[in-house]
């Protein structure tokens, strides 16, 4: 097993949320390329995290069970068994946010990763700054979800056959539960707060990912595709060159089919 323990380097400050006073968030980096492992570990330690590493599938699962990390940075291609199987086994132990790394820029890989419990993904090559930014965002999202779960129940937002329960972070379509990752849920809520209004990719990055620049607009597109597959492609409208809007039932008296928004079909429904 390839493991490395660390303490916070002198002169650095922990910028991530903590579970208790003085606590540091634990990040398990699972990657078989020593150069990438070293770069990721150094950057995350500089951000104030505790870091351990594993170089293959079995070591990753064993370390996750023993060390109880707060987040996994997980490569798809690993010796032993791949990152998808690692994600399945770790999520079976306990829910933990996962940032998945893939060498292939393939939508299928991304959708499969999200399907087994990953929260976000990045395609190699990537910048260490962006990895650190996404780790911080995922941890903040988990903290918000935990606070929401313990807060008094708020109302349920209903938009036609789409139902969003903020307190329980649950989504239903035509009465059936839809499993969304934390990122997908926050993206849907952001769109639902301004139904039928077009939100730019830059707005979505700022609101959902807490990013101040436009370098991740392709990330927005990929998550929109994943979200469409789960809630229905016709519910999210693309405005080419601008962004996305959540389609909702037409107000009473609006021309068209009563109680339903005009359908979005063809390339506009699936493209991003």
């Amino acid at each position: 097993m390839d493991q490395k323990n660390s303490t916070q380097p002198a002169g650095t400050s922990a910028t991530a949320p903590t579970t208790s006073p003085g606590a540091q968030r634990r990040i398990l980096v699972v990657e078989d390329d020593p150069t990438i492992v070293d770069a990721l570990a150094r950057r995350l330690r500089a951000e104030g995290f505790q870091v351990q590493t594993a170089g293959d599938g079995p070591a990753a699962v064993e370390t996750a069970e023993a060390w109880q990390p707060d987040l996994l940075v997980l490569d798809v291609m690993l010796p032993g068994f791949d990152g998808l199987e690692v994600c399945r086994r770790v999520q079976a132990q306990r829910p933990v946010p996962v940032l998945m790394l893939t060498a292939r820029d393939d939508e299928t890989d991304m959708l499969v990763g999200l399907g087994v419990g990953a929260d976000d993904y990045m395609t190699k090559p990537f910048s260490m700054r962006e990895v650190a930014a996404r780790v911080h965002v995922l941890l903040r999202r988990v903290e918000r979800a935990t606070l929401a779960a313990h807060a008094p129940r708020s109302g349920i937002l209903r938009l036609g056959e789409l139902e969003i329960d903020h307190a329980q972070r649950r989504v239903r379509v035509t009465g059936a539960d839809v499993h969304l990752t934390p990122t997908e849920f926050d993206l849907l809520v952001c769109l639902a707060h301004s139904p039928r209004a077009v939100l730019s990719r830059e707005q979505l990055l700022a609101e959902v990912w807490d990013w101040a620049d436009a370098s991740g607009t392709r990330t927005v597109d990929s998550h929109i595709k994943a979200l469409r597959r789960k809630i229905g492609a016709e519910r999210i409208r693309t405005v080419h060159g601008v962004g996305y809007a959540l389609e909702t039932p037409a107000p009473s008296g609006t021309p068209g089919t009563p109680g339903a928004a005009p359908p979005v079909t063809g390339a506009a429904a699936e493209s991003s």
Side-chain angles (χ1 to χ4, degrees):
M1 183 189 308
D2 176 18
Q3 294 186 19
K4 300 176 184 176
N5 292 298
S6 73
T7 58
Q8 183 176 332
T12 62
S13 60
T15 57
T18 56
T19 52
S20 60
Q24 288 178 286
R25 293 285 187 162
R26 298 180 172 190
I27 311 296
L28 174 59
V29 177
V30 185
E31 167 65 65
D32 64 335
D33 185 320
T35 302
I36 296 177
V37 166
D38 182 63
L40 285 170
R42 282 190 289 108
R43 179 61 193 235
L44 292 171
R45 287 169 184 149
E47 295 285 326
F49 297 111
Q50 294 186 51
V51 179
Q52 285 199 18
T53 68
D56 58 56
V61 174
E62 181 181 342
T63 304
E65 183 174 10
W67 196 52
Q68 300 285 291
D70 296 298
L71 181 143
L72 266 66
V73 178
L74 176 62
D75 189 27
V76 172
M77 302 301 295
L78 293 169
F81 45 77
D82 66 19
L84 299 176
E85 182 62 23
V86 171
C87 192
R88 290 189 190 96
R89 297 192 187 193
V90 170
Q91 298 290 12
Q93 296 173 6
R94 68 184 183 96
V96 59
V98 175
L99 172 59
M100 193 158 276
L101 310 176
T102 176
R104 297 194 303 173
D105 189 8
D106 189 312
E107 181 183 338
T108 301
D109 282 355
M110 181 271 291
L111 292 173
V112 171
L114 295 177
V116 297
D119 298 283
D120 202 354
Y121 83 103
M122 297 184 67
T123 302
K124 299 176 182 178
F126 45 74
S127 74
M128 296 301 145
R129 182 181 73 86
E130 186 176 353
V131 172
R134 295 210 194 184
V135 166
H136 281 296
V137 168
L138 284 175
L139 290 173
R140 282 196 295 269
R141 187 167 295 126
V142 169
E143 186 173 71
R144 287 200 300 265
T146 300
L147 292 173
H150 292 88
R153 289 202 58 175
S154 58
I156 295 175
L157 178 63
R158 293 184 176 88
L159 301 170
E161 296 180 329
L162 176 65
E163 182 180 295
I164 303 173
D165 186 331
H166 289 78
Q168 296 190 15
R169 293 181 69 86
R170 296 179 66 179
V171 173
R172 298 179 183 86
V173 175
T174 62
D177 284 329
V178 177
H179 172 71
L180 301 182
T181 68
T183 302
E184 291 166 352
F185 181 87
D186 288 346
L187 179 57
L188 177 60
V189 167
C190 186
L191 292 167
H193 282 168
S194 303
R196 304 178 75 86
V198 179
L199 301 182
S200 70
R201 292 171 174 84
E202 291 76 17
Q203 285 177 284
L204 293 170
L205 276 175
E207 292 292 330
V208 179
W209 282 268
D210 293 336
W211 293 357
D213 57 57
S215 64
T217 53
R218 198 153 177 269
T219 294
V220 176
D221 297 340
S222 297
H223 280 83
I224 287 288
K225 288 180 181 179
L227 187 56
R228 278 177 167 150
R229 288 175 181 246
K230 294 181 178 182
I231 69 168
E234 74 283 356
R235 288 190 167 87
I236 300 178
R237 176 168 57 95
T238 298
V239 177
H240 293 285
V242 182
Y244 301 98
L246 183 68
E247 291 293 88
T248 62
S252 177
T254 300
T257 303
V264 179
T265 58
E270 287 296 335
S271 64
S272 53

